[in-house]
């Protein structure tokens, strides 16, 4: 009998009203059932939102430095349990243990950063045109925040949203991805242990079309913070537009590394391998395109393929494993379908291009690291997000053409250039149309104290991370205090005559 987990609503652990559950399986070995989780519907969501409304009414009155204390304590618990949680993450999500530990560390970093925000949350003071009048803008919480998160960073991404939401004085209803409910449960347990009152954070498990949809639609939700695919993000945005809700979206990417003819080639290969196959390519910041100057394309591609050939697939808990499984059978199918699409478009598969099923791998969802060559910018494998260990290599004749190809995508999250020419590096910084740019480093490696997000189809203008997340999690309240004791008319009494 495997363990049965529950929702957390209004300070109580409870089953779904329907009594239904769904299974959480280890993607490296699907005979390993991690647990059963409640398959929630609109009724569970309604209870959670009601509890959150009550929680919010209390929590907003707690001074921000005290609210931040709870986040600081959560960070301390995460730090103490880092190793154990990293292992659970690898078992549940598949990424190799070193990366899982990095994911937990990103949550700890977010707690450290946001705990300090409890004593900042800076507003603005500016002069007024009238005498004896004070003008201020202060941040106030938005209300009840629906947090909807993906499975690829089961801890880090929820903390990016939940920690600032709480410090800012909001209540949270958390609907994690159905592929990683255990890590979400662990995070909520930690928040309760850190002293968060019931109702301030609720956890509702379930699938997107049911629990997620009901949460986005619920009239008691003031803000939806979503990270996931562009297709689902658009649906979320459409519902929020109709309901007049605030919405913050982090969606797909088709991130490119440019390798110029003067690049340190081995360094660029390191970056392409890490960006393309790290986390089995399942990052929104993954380097799924490499645009190589034709003068070094042959040499680069040979080395890239050679390195990909040496990558060892397996359970992320084995220290010898370089690349873990993909998350589930559906994603495996999707990744493989893109191999077919690439081939039919005329791309050449230099390596990989098939599921890996030898020995113990047959029990999990493994796909061989795949490199497409002869890719043209118009091909689907050059334009669409695959979210797996598949990298398209494109050639460019010049710097300008490389930039043009890099920008020829509907996404705009991250990009990178490898060059030793400082002028080129700065020109690339100016010309690349993405929210994040790396010079002589891969497309992944964002740190929590900086804005994270992208342009075009990647986002809707918001940035998580850093100080910018506060603009998502708060509203501005502008305050004028007139202490003149007389009627003073702005724009009229203060104007030149
Ligand atoms: C994601 O790709 O979904 O920069 C988040 C990075 C990580 C965060 C990635 N720090 O790749």
């Amino acid at each position: 009998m495997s363990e049965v987990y529950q929702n957390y609503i209004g300070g109580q652990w409870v089953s779904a009203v329907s009594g239904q559950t769904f299974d959480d399986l280890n993607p490296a070995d699907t005979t390993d059932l991690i647990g059963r989780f409640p398959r929630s519907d609109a009724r569970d969501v309604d209870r959670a939102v009601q509890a959150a409304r009550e929680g919010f009414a209390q929590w907003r009155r707690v001074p921000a430095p005290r609210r931040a204390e709870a986040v600081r304590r959560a960070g301390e618990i995460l730090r103490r349990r880092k190793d154990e949680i990293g292992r659970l993450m690898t078992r549940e999500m598949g990424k190799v243990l070193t990366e899982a530990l990095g994911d937990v560390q990103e949550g700890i970093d977010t707690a450290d950063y946001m705990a300090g925000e409890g004593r900042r949350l800076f507003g603005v003071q500016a002069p007024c045109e009238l005498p004896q009048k004070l003008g201020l803008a202060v941040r106030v919480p938005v209300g009840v925040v629906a947090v909807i998160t993906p499975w690829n960073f089961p801890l880090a991404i929820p903390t990016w949203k939940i920690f600032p939401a709480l410090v800012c004085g909001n209540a949270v209803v958390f609907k994690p991805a159905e592929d990683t409910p255990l890590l979400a449960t662990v995070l909520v347990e930690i928040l309760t242990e850190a002293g968060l009152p019931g109702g301030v954070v609720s956890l509702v498990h379930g699938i997107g079309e049911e629990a997620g949809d009901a949460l986005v639609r619920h009239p008691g939700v003031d803000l939806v913070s979503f990270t996931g695919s562009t297709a689902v993000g658009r649906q979320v945005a459409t519902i929020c537009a109709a309901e007049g809700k605030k919405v913050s979206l982090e969606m797909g990417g088709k991130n490119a590394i440019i390798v110029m003819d003067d690049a340190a080639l081995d360094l660029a290969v390191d970056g392409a391998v890490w960006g393309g196959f790290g986390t089995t390519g399942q990052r929104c910041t993954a380097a799924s395109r490499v645009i190589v100057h034709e003068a070094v394309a042959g040499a680069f591609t040979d080395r890239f393929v050679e390195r990909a050939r040496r990558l060892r697939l397996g359970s992320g808990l084995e220290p010898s494993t370089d690349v873990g499984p993909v998350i589930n059978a559906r994603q495996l199918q999707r990744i493989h379908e893109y191999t077919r699409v690439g081939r039919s478009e005329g791309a050449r598969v230099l390596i990989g291009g098939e599921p890996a099923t030898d020995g113990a791998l047959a029990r999990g969802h493994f796909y061989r690291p795949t490199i497409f060559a002869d890719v043209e910018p118009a091909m689907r494998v050059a334009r669409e997000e695959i979210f797996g260990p598949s990298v398209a290599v494109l050639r460019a004749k010049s710097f300008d053409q490389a930039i043009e190809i890099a920008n020829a995508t509907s996404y705009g999250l991250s990009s990178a250039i490898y060059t030793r020419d400082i002028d080129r590096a700065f020109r690339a910084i100016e010309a690349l149309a993405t929210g994040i740019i790396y010079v002589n480093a891969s497309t992944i490696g964002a740190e929590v104290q900086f804005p994270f997000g992208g342009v075009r189809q990647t986002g809707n203008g918001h940035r998580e991370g850093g100080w910018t997340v506060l603009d998502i999690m708060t509203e501005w309240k502008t305050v004028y205090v007139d202490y003149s004791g007389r009627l003073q008319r702005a724009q009229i009494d203060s104007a030149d005559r």
Side-chain angles (χ1 to χ4, degrees), residues 102 105-110 113-114 153 156 160 283 285 414 436-438 441-453 463-468:
Q105 186 60 47
E106 200 157 340
I108 297 167
D109 297 344
T110 303
Y113 185 84
M114 275 301 144
F153 278 79
W160 289 0
R283 292 191 185 220
T285 53
S414 177
I436 305 170
I437 292 174
Y438 292 90
S442 193
T443 55
I444 65 186
E447 301 186 18
V448 305
Q449 66 276 25
F450 284 100
F452 181 93
R463 292 290 185 276
E464 295 184 325
W467 61 98
T468 44

Side-chain angles (χ1 to χ4, degrees), residues 44-98:
D44 307 289
V45 166
D46 186 53
R47 289 177 186 190
V49 175
Q50 299 301 343
R53 295 244 56 104
E54 285 164 31
F56 173 57
Q58 307 298 322
W59 188 242
R60 66 183 308 178
R61 294 203 186 87
V62 176
R66 281 192 45 217
R67 296 194 298 245
E69 283 291 293
V71 169
R72 186 177 59 72
R73 283 193 296 272
E76 283 164 4
I77 301 168
L78 281 173
R79 189 174 263 119
R80 196 170 70 233
R81 292 179 57 188
K82 178 175 171 182
D83 208 59
E84 170 220 341
I85 295 172
R87 284 173 185 282
L88 286 180
M89 187 185 300
T90 296
R91 181 174 168 220
E92 186 180 44
M93 182 274 166
K95 64 173 79 174
V96 297
L97 184 58
T98 44

Side-chain angles (χ1 to χ4, degrees), residues 11 129 135 152 159 185 204 238 319 359 371 412 431 494:
E129 64 189 36
N152 67 332
T159 67
T185 304
V204 182
T238 305
I371 298 174
S494 46

Side-chain angles (χ1 to χ4, degrees), residues 92-428:
E92 186 180 44
M93 182 274 166
K95 64 173 79 174
V96 297
L97 184 58
T98 44
E99 292 184 29
L101 293 171
D103 190 325
V104 182
Q105 186 60 47
E106 200 157 340
I108 297 167
D109 297 344
T110 303
D112 286 348
Y113 185 84
M114 275 301 144
E117 207 54 58
R119 288 183 187 275
R120 286 188 298 269
L121 273 186
F122 292 142
V124 176
Q125 189 271 324
C128 281
E129 64 189 36
L130 288 161
Q132 298 184 312
K133 184 182 176 191
L134 178 71
L136 302 172
V138 298
R139 293 182 183 277
V140 294
V142 180
V144 172
V145 180
V147 167
I148 302 179
T149 54
W151 44 263
N152 67 332
F153 278 79
L155 192 93
I157 291 179
T159 67
W160 289 0
K161 300 175 187 298
I162 294 174
F163 290 172
L166 295 175
V167 171
C168 291
N170 303 286
V172 168
V173 180
F174 177 23
K175 206 306 271 175
E178 55 265 36
D179 287 298
T180 50
L182 180 61
L183 258 289
T185 304
V186 168
L187 177 59
V188 171
E189 280 170 0
I190 287 172
L191 284 165
T192 62
E193 189 187 333
L196 216 66
V200 176
V201 166
S202 292
L203 172 66
V204 182
H205 291 291
I207 67 172
E209 291 82 349
E210 298 168 4
D213 184 75
L215 183 58
V216 172
R217 289 180 195 279
H218 198 293
V221 168
D222 300 292
L223 161 67
V224 178
S225 173
F226 169 88
T227 298
S229 70
T230 297
V232 176
R234 277 199 191 143
Q235 292 171 19
V236 169
T238 305
I239 298 167
C240 290
E243 306 283 328
K245 277 180 200 171
K246 270 186 98 175
V247 57
S248 161
L249 305 170
E250 288 295 343
M251 301 176 287
K254 190 71 186 179
N255 314 293
I257 292 177
I258 295 176
V259 181
M260 289 307 300
D261 47 356
D262 66 341
L265 221 49
D266 284 326
L267 186 67
V269 172
D270 281 345
V273 170
W274 171 229
F277 305 124
T279 329
T280 322
Q282 302 171 113
R283 292 191 185 220
C284 41
T285 53
S288 50
R289 296 184 293 156
V290 183
I291 303 162
V292 195
H293 190 282
E294 60 181 7
V296 292
F300 171 87
T301 309
D302 288 351
R303 291 189 214 182
F304 186 31
V305 169
E306 195 36 49
R307 288 284 302 282
R309 197 185 308 283
R310 295 211 303 265
L311 295 173
R312 285 158 306 193
L313 273 69
S315 157
L317 290 171
E318 296 294 329
S320 58
T321 298
D322 299 304
V323 178
V326 302
I327 190 70
N328 57 37
R330 204 175 57 250
Q331 278 300 117
L332 189 77
Q333 266 321 105
R334 188 183 141 87
I335 293 162
H336 194 44
E337 171 60 15
Y338 271 106
T339 299
R340 194 197 61 72
V341 167
R343 282 201 171 105
S344 75
E345 289 177 310
R348 212 151 36 93
V349 176
L350 298 181
I351 188 169
E354 56 182 10
T357 52
D358 21 305
L361 299 183
R363 292 209 298 271
H365 309 295
F366 289 93
Y367 203 79
R368 295 198 188 285
T370 300
I371 298 174
F372 297 105
D374 299 344
V375 177
E376 296 298 328
M379 292 180 184
R380 286 179 60 198
V381 289
R383 289 188 290 118
E384 296 175 18
E385 185 175 48
I386 301 175
F387 225 67
S390 301
V391 179
V393 178
L394 299 96
R395 287 179 184 231
K397 292 188 195 321
S398 64
F399 171 80
D400 288 342
Q401 195 189 21
I403 297 281
E404 193 185 309
I405 296 171
N407 286 342
T409 149
S410 57
Y411 297 109
L413 181 55
S414 177
S415 55
I417 182 163
Y418 283 83
T419 178
R420 282 183 280 204
D421 178 331
I422 191 163
D423 294 344
R424 263 184 187 163
F426 277 93
R427 280 188 208 124

Side-chain angles (χ1 to χ4, degrees), residues 131-134 481-486 488:
Q132 298 184 312
K133 184 182 176 191
L134 178 71
V481 182
D482 189 321
Y483 51 97
S484 70
R486 60 184 182 275
Q488 298 201 93

